[in-house]
Amino acid sequence: MGDQGKKGRARVVTREDYSPQGFRWLRLKRLSYVDRRGNKRNWESAERSTRPPSGIDAVAVYARLVSKGSKGGEQVVLVSQFRPPLDCNVLELPAGLVDSGETPAEAALRELREETGLVGKATRESPVVFSDPGMSSANMKLVEVVVDMDDTRNQVPTQELDEGEDIKVHYVSADKLGQELQSLSESEDLAIDARLYAVAFGQDLNRPPPSSSRGWMSKKMDFSFSVDPQMVLFTSAVFLSTAVLARLTKHLFLSK
């Protein structure tokens, strides 16, 4: 035990690989670290084996669909697909890994085109944010893309999916995002990705609480109040879907 009266900077001392043979996308690690009081401790974590030289693992895309002739307000494009770790379909933002040599903006435009068939312009991006720092070093950037639906290339969008991918595209109201998530979740039996829900939750935090006696923090969130989509809390509480990492870490370390 270290001197409990001294406080310094916590640091990782060693990283020991525990990845099973044949793993392609992930590495499992056992970490030894010293806490700020000098005590030696251990930790278990996972990391992506695909991290490019840029150091940015992945991107998620908040794609705003705009049209001069639209009378129904701005829309956002979402996707749903089967996620084996959850054994169900999940409603998500378009997202994917950053390839070597790509910028986050380039990766975002590529993933949006592949998953939805839409082309657009990247307008801003978040700092590098971390998905589940208690379990993984995985990181990402959230990229905003504006999609001009009057562009002829977006009139009949065609997905460019890899073999084995099965992705459904959803166009939803930007200023009623929370209601849309709840409706799709119930009607199509979809789980909701944390990053996507965080955007809707951020919108709700940005508006006055409802006067209803049941309150806006009730079990089912009240998203009934309109909001300017530009007010989205763009980088609030961003998480990657890491259920696969949790299962693998638990199984492999308990079996050691």
Side-chain angles (χ1 to χ4, degrees), residues 5-255:
K6 294 182 179 179
K7 296 181 180 180
R9 182 180 182 276
R11 67 191 186 280
V12 173
V13 179
T14 62
R15 291 179 170 85
E16 188 177 1
D17 189 75
Y18 268 71
S19 304
Q21 187 175 6
F23 263 37
R24 178 182 177 186
W25 303 102
L26 303 173
R27 296 191 189 98
L28 301 183
K29 299 286 186 176
R30 176 169 288 168
L31 311 179
S32 296
Y33 74 100
V34 178
D35 68 19
R36 65 193 184 98
R37 291 184 173 86
N39 301 311
K40 294 182 179 180
R41 303 185 183 279
N42 296 317
W43 202 268
E44 298 159 3
S45 73
E47 63 184 38
R48 290 193 179 276
S49 58
T50 55
R51 179 170 291 178
S54 67
I56 302 170
D57 289 322
V59 292
V61 186
Y62 185 86
R64 300 169 47 216
L65 311 184
V66 298
S67 173
K68 293 180 180 179
S70 174
K71 297 181 180 180
E74 189 173 288
Q75 291 185 307
V76 178
V77 62
L78 309 177
V79 297
S80 60
Q81 58 185 309
F82 181 74
R83 292 299 193 183
L86 301 185
D87 194 21
C88 68
N89 290 314
V90 181
L91 188 61
E92 310 170 342
L93 294 168
L97 299 177
V98 177
D99 289 341
S100 181
E102 277 188 322
T103 66
E106 290 169 341
L109 295 177
R110 174 181 55 77
E111 288 291 347
L112 181 66
R113 184 183 69 253
E114 291 175 354
E115 294 190 357
T116 71
L118 297 170
V119 297
K121 179 180 179 181
T123 52
R124 57 177 171 168
E125 60 187 59
S126 74
V128 176
V129 289
F130 297 87
S131 310
D132 192 347
M135 187 177 67
S136 171
S137 63
N139 65 48
M140 61 163 290
K141 281 195 170 189
L142 184 60
V143 180
E144 179 189 60
V145 174
V146 175
V147 177
D148 181 3
M149 297 304 287
D150 297 324
D151 189 323
T152 55
R153 294 173 295 176
N154 293 324
Q155 298 303 303
V156 186
T158 302
Q159 294 171 294
E160 302 174 14
L161 301 178
D162 293 333
E163 192 278 328
E165 284 188 312
D166 184 11
I167 297 176
K168 183 176 180 179
V169 179
H170 308 266
Y171 295 171
V172 302
S173 170
D175 63 352
K176 296 180 180 179
L177 183 57
Q179 288 180 333
E180 298 273 20
L181 297 187
Q182 182 174 315
S183 176
L184 282 170
S185 175
E186 294 175 353
S187 64
E188 300 193 21
D189 193 25
L190 301 173
I192 302 176
D193 179 81
R195 294 165 295 184
L196 175 57
Y197 190 85
V199 173
F201 191 73
Q203 286 182 340
D204 200 70
L205 291 176
N206 230 21
R207 59 171 70 99
S211 57
S212 169
S213 60
R214 68 190 178 105
W216 69 284
M217 291 297 287
S218 59
K219 183 176 181 181
K220 286 192 175 181
M221 296 299 298
D222 188 341
F223 291 100
S224 60
F225 290 78
S226 62
V227 63
D228 182 349
Q230 297 293 333
M231 298 295 286
V232 173
L233 298 184
F234 198 61
T235 59
S236 63
V238 181
F239 297 99
L240 285 174
S241 301
T242 55
V244 62
L245 304 183
R247 285 193 176 186
L248 291 171
T249 302
K250 179 179 178 181
H251 172 74
L252 290 167
F253 282 110
L254 288 179
S255 65

